Amino acid sequence: MFEQMFEEVVAQCLSVGLVRGDKLSVDGTFVEANASKESRIPREQLMEAAQVNRTVREYLAELEMQNPVEEPTHSQDKVSTTDPDSTYATKGGTPARMGYYNNYLIDNHSCIVVGAQATGARPSEESRAAKDMIARFTQWQGRKPQSIAADASYGNGEFLQWLMDREITPYMPTRDAVGRTRSPFYGPDCFTYLPDSNSYICPAGQQLNYGGRNEGNRTFGYIGTRKKCGPCQQRSQCTSGPFRYLAIHMNEAARQRARDLWTTPEFGHAQRQRKKVEALFAELKSNIGLRRLRLRRLKFVREQFFLAATAQNIKRLVRFLSRTATPPIPATA
């Protein structure tokens, strides 16, 4: 019901022309759960706690009913008996607490929240929530957005590839942005790929052959040799080891596409527009007072986030309608 109410208000914003829907921004914020970190117990003690704690008993019963392939809210070693769905985490350098992520997808033009989703407080959840919200909003308006702006936490290869497949322009730094700019060694862009032999040529003209794939890091490895790299005059600029190991991400083409946008005026403008999401989160916590949740369990936290986003949208919709309905005041002599 809360989700339907949120969608109805977004539909009204679309129908009156308040939402353009072409340029969007996405971000997530940590909201403290209605549970303390002292309420956590080791996961293996949950069965024992369920005998005297109804919340834990209901939590375990729901886990048994869930699809076994569905990813749990969190898989930490300790679970809160007060709110088992909450995650012990932090964001932005604050002390670790029990909480959730509130994810927003907004229209840059109007600052209307066009997507809201509650997830566990894990960085990996942000990209997944972004995909769901973008896909949902695309279905609403019948066309995909032109661009998405976000911070570096969304700049992973999988999400960038997902956007590339849908021809959506990504205005976000890639996760390796800091490492690429601060590293004293040659970056991947200094190497030339040879598709016929699936190898790379280094700046000194030596060949790095394919050495396998790393599923954990989602990279392909290309390796030089001691014989070639050892006497190379450029080795100090290339590696600190006896030979060069070049890791190329499986979605490198999508990552490079995002990097090519860094120096464009559109990238700087989109990043400034992205600050509107942070302003909405500040309003959410300061004006609406949602610094700490009142409800517990993910399904009820979702309701609270949908209700808060609906209130923020109604505020802007009413302001827009009152401004367009008020005739201009005639000039006086």
Side-chain angles (χ1 to χ4, degrees), residues 39-46 49 56 77-81:
S39 65
R40 296 183 303 151
I41 62 172
R43 186 174 289 274
E44 55 268 21
Q45 296 180 11
L46 284 177
V56 176
D77 294 334
K78 290 186 176 182
V79 182
S80 169
T81 56

Side-chain angles (χ1 to χ4, degrees), residues 50-194:
Q51 299 178 15
V52 294
N53 189 306
R54 189 185 70 177
T55 301
V56 176
R57 192 159 55 247
E58 293 174 350
Y59 170 72
L60 292 176
E62 290 174 10
L63 284 181
E64 288 188 15
M65 296 174 60
Q66 287 176 357
N67 188 336
V69 300
E70 181 179 343
E71 189 176 5
T73 307
H74 73 80
S75 56
Q76 296 178 333
D77 294 334
K78 290 186 176 182
V79 182
S80 169
T81 56
T82 306
D83 185 354
D85 288 337
S86 62
T87 311
Y88 185 60
T90 182
K91 190 174 185 181
T94 59
R97 297 161 292 166
M98 306 302 299
Y100 295 87
Y101 277 173
N102 184 13
N103 301 274
Y104 271 4
L105 178 70
I106 74 159
D107 175 63
N108 290 349
H109 169 71
S110 61
C111 212
I112 290 292
V113 183
V114 297
Q117 190 156 323
T119 64
R122 295 185 298 171
S124 61
E125 294 282 338
E126 291 185 300
S127 296
R128 183 183 62 81
K131 292 178 185 179
D132 292 343
M133 292 188 294
I134 294 169
R136 183 67 172 163
F137 182 66
T138 297
Q139 183 181 358
W140 286 347
Q141 66 171 359
R143 59 184 175 88
K144 62 179 181 292
Q146 296 176 6
S147 66
I148 298 292
D151 60 27
S153 63
Y154 293 85
N156 59 79
E158 294 80 7
F159 184 52
L160 292 171
Q161 184 66 53
W162 188 87
L163 294 174
M164 184 176 179
D165 294 341
R166 287 155 183 78
E167 299 180 338
I168 301 174
T169 304
Y171 291 122
M172 60 196 73
T174 57
R175 285 239 180 112
D176 63 345
V178 175
R180 291 176 68 90
T181 55
R182 293 182 182 177
S183 175
F185 303 121
Y186 290 140
D189 52 321
C190 297
F191 294 75
T192 303
Y193 182 63
L194 302 178

Side-chain angles (χ1 to χ4, degrees), residues 201-212:
I201 298 296
C202 76
Q206 297 296 334
Q207 186 170 340
L208 280 73
N209 296 318
Y210 178 65

Side-chain angles (χ1 to χ4, degrees), residues 225-231:
T225 63
R226 294 175 183 267
K227 183 178 179 179
K228 295 178 180 179
C229 297

